[in-house]
Amino acid sequence: MDFFNFVAQEWILVTILIVLIYLYVWRDRIKSGRPVSPHEVTRLVNEGNAVIVDLREGAEFKAGHIVGSVNIPYAKLSKESTEVASHKGKTLILVDKLGQHAGAVGRLLGKEGFEVRRLGGGIAEWQAQSLPLVKGK
């Protein structure tokens, strides 16, 4: 009951706190690469303006990946930075299983000057939309 009394009496402070939390989350989300839908990924790739970087491990990549994607596992990304550097002029679309690693990688690559986007929902969302995957390397 004391909590509700506090909120009622200090509604301005509570409102400011909520707005600040929202702004922080929004800023961090944008900073790590704006999420894009599977259809927007298709459009960007077809225009030739983007490269899909799959952050999953090799076995998951071989089990099914988006056509034309480059596999650079999350754990090896810093060692494979030369492969990513060759795509400096294009938008990098980061893909992982559910979106757990794409944000951290997006922040890292954003600091290095790359234009980064994240596939919203990861490869699971791609599959949920019944979009095609290629098996093997």
Side-chain angles (χ1 to χ4, degrees), residues 93-113:
I93 301 172
L94 304 177
V95 177
D96 57 5
K97 191 171 185 175
L98 297 169
Q100 67 273 25
H101 298 299
V105 173
R107 280 189 293 280
L108 174 74
L109 294 174
K111 287 179 184 175
E112 293 180 15

Side-chain angles (χ1 to χ4, degrees), residues 117-136:
R117 300 284 185 269
R118 294 178 291 128
L119 176 59
I123 203 77
E125 179 62 25
W126 186 272
Q127 290 174 312
Q129 298 274 336
S130 298
L131 294 168
L133 293 175
V134 177
K135 295 186 188 298

Side-chain angles (χ1 to χ4, degrees), residues 40-62:
E40 191 171 350
V41 169
T42 304
R43 184 185 58 79
L44 288 169
V45 171
N46 287 341
E47 290 175 354
N49 298 330
V51 174
I52 300 171
V53 178
D54 197 316
L55 302 172
R56 298 176 299 151
E57 293 299 321
E60 291 178 323
F61 181 78
K62 288 178 183 175

Side-chain angles (χ1 to χ4, degrees), residues 12-38:
I12 293 175
L13 291 175
V14 172
T15 303
I16 290 172
L17 177 65
I18 291 170
V19 168
L20 289 175
I21 290 171
Y22 174 78
L23 288 174
Y24 176 76
V25 169
W26 177 76
R27 182 178 163 267
D28 192 54
R29 185 175 180 195
I30 296 299
K31 199 173 174 185
S32 63
R34 186 173 57 90
V36 293
S37 70

